[in-house]
Amino acid sequence: MKIVVVKNYDELSKLGAEIIASKIKENPACTLGLATGSSPIGTYQNLVRMYEDGKISFKDVKTYNLDEYCGIERTHPQSYYYFMHDNLFNHVDIKEENTHVPYAAPGGNLDEEAKKYTAELNKTTIDLQLLGIGANGHIGFNEPGTPFEQETFVVTLTDKTRQDNKRFFNSIDEVPTHAMTMGIANIMRAKSILMLISGTNKADTVVNLLKGKVTTDFPASVLNNHPDVTVIIDEAAYSKMN
Ligand code: F6R
């Protein structure tokens, strides 16, 4: 695991975008795995700026998102489908048909959709997978206890995760109880992985990631078994390592 400690969220976002942009320059038809949440927002802003400045194009880029809440429409402002369009897709030249977000809206057959997503992922290779990390070590929505062999599935969110994500909703009752997520096995098949970790609320998480053992109790620890992982950590998140 390559660890890069940067000053703050701005620096993390610039470096995150540079790494993704160089992947796109190296292979303009690359496949990216994308994440939502607070961690990658600045990275997406920088990528949009690079696109506007003519430095990169998403014309032939394909994307697969990690996860989606179950039971809310794609038009819901907190759906990850909406998030991706709002933060990236609507501002660059990516083709809608080249973007993929798990489909978990009301009325869908969720288990069937999860199987379809795994089948799609098995037809492709993700060149670079972007990840955040939950305070409890989750990646995607693979909560503690998820087997490392897991493929895309519907997960019951832990109370901790629902509380952490409450900030995006009006109340805890509105936070979905389930999500569809790429499994750990899907994530581990990516050729390279870029994880972003920012803020004091992730300081203990960083200690667990960098000093803990590989265990399903802390899903992100599986990244120690991957040959090409870069983790960008800002000083606030790294503060308990000193
Ligand atoms: C989001 C995702 C989650 C987040 C994690 C951290 O697509 O898969 O694992 O990366 O919950 O979220 P933030 O970045 O909001 O702290």
Side-chain angles (χ1 to χ4, degrees):
M1 225 189 282
K2 182 177 166 205
I3 309 299
V4 186
V5 180
V6 295
K7 196 153 197 48
N8 53 31
Y9 185 76
D10 274 358
E11 305 256 304
L12 169 142
S13 303
K14 267 190 219 138
L15 182 58
E18 274 164 25
I19 292 172
I20 295 171
S22 56
K23 187 64 69 182
I24 296 174
K25 283 181 196 158
E26 183 187 303
N27 174 11
C30 67
T31 301
L32 301 175
L34 297 180
T36 59
S38 308
S39 307
I41 290 182
T43 297
Y44 294 148
Q45 285 167 349
N46 278 285
L47 285 172
V48 169
R49 221 165 295 139
M50 287 178 186
Y51 162 73
E52 286 169 351
D53 292 345
K55 291 183 182 146
I56 48 169
S57 166
F58 289 79
K59 186 169 64 67
D60 297 315
V61 170
K62 288 178 270 325
T63 65
Y64 286 84
N65 262 81
L66 280 170
D67 43 18
E68 178 60 288
Y69 285 124
C70 295
I72 57 176
E73 297 288 350
R74 287 185 146 183
T75 49
H76 190 294
Q78 294 311 332
S79 81
Y80 289 168
Y81 179 90
Y82 188 101
F83 174 105
M84 286 312 304
H85 285 77
D86 201 30
N87 286 287
L88 184 66
F89 300 157
N90 287 349
H91 310 290
V92 297
D93 59 347
I94 198 159
K95 296 186 183 103
E96 178 69 24
E97 66 268 26
N98 284 347
T99 69
H100 306 82
V101 179
Y103 186 79
N109 179 334
L110 297 183
D111 289 334
E112 203 48 47
E113 291 295 338
K115 271 193 209 136
K116 274 203 304 211
Y117 207 64
T118 286
E120 281 265 358
L121 289 170
N122 285 339
K123 281 192 284 184
T124 187
T125 300
I126 291 181
D127 295 296
L128 174 65
Q129 175 67 56
L130 183 61
L131 293 178
I133 184 170
N136 62 4
H138 74 214
I139 49 174
F141 273 130
N142 293 282
E143 300 283 24
T146 310
F148 291 162
E149 304 73 37
Q150 184 69 54
E151 309 265 10
T152 307
F153 73 123
V154 174
V155 59
T156 305
L157 298 177
T158 61
D159 288 344
K160 170 78 181 134
T161 297
R162 291 185 68 235
Q163 287 293 344
D164 284 348
N165 290 0
K166 187 178 73 178
R167 65 192 192 278
F168 300 113
F169 293 83
N170 294 322
S171 73
I172 187 73
D173 298 336
E174 285 184 21
V175 184
T177 53
H178 292 77
M180 191 182 297
T181 182
M182 270 191 208
I184 293 175
N186 305 119
I187 294 171
M188 290 293 280
R189 279 200 287 271
K191 276 197 209 157
S192 61
I193 292 180
L194 173 62
M195 174 174 264
L196 307 177
I197 317 183
S198 170
T200 42
N201 61 325
K202 299 279 173 73
D204 289 320
T205 315
V206 166
V207 175
N208 284 333
L209 178 68
L210 303 186
K211 296 203 166 157
K213 56 182 179 17
V214 176
T215 163
T216 54
D217 292 342
F218 191 82
S221 64
V222 73
L223 299 179
N224 286 295
N225 297 341
H226 192 286
D228 186 357
V229 179
T230 302
V231 188
I232 310 177
I233 308 174
D234 70 9
E235 282 178 3
Y238 201 74
S239 55
K240 292 200 176 165
M241 286 294 294
N242 296 317

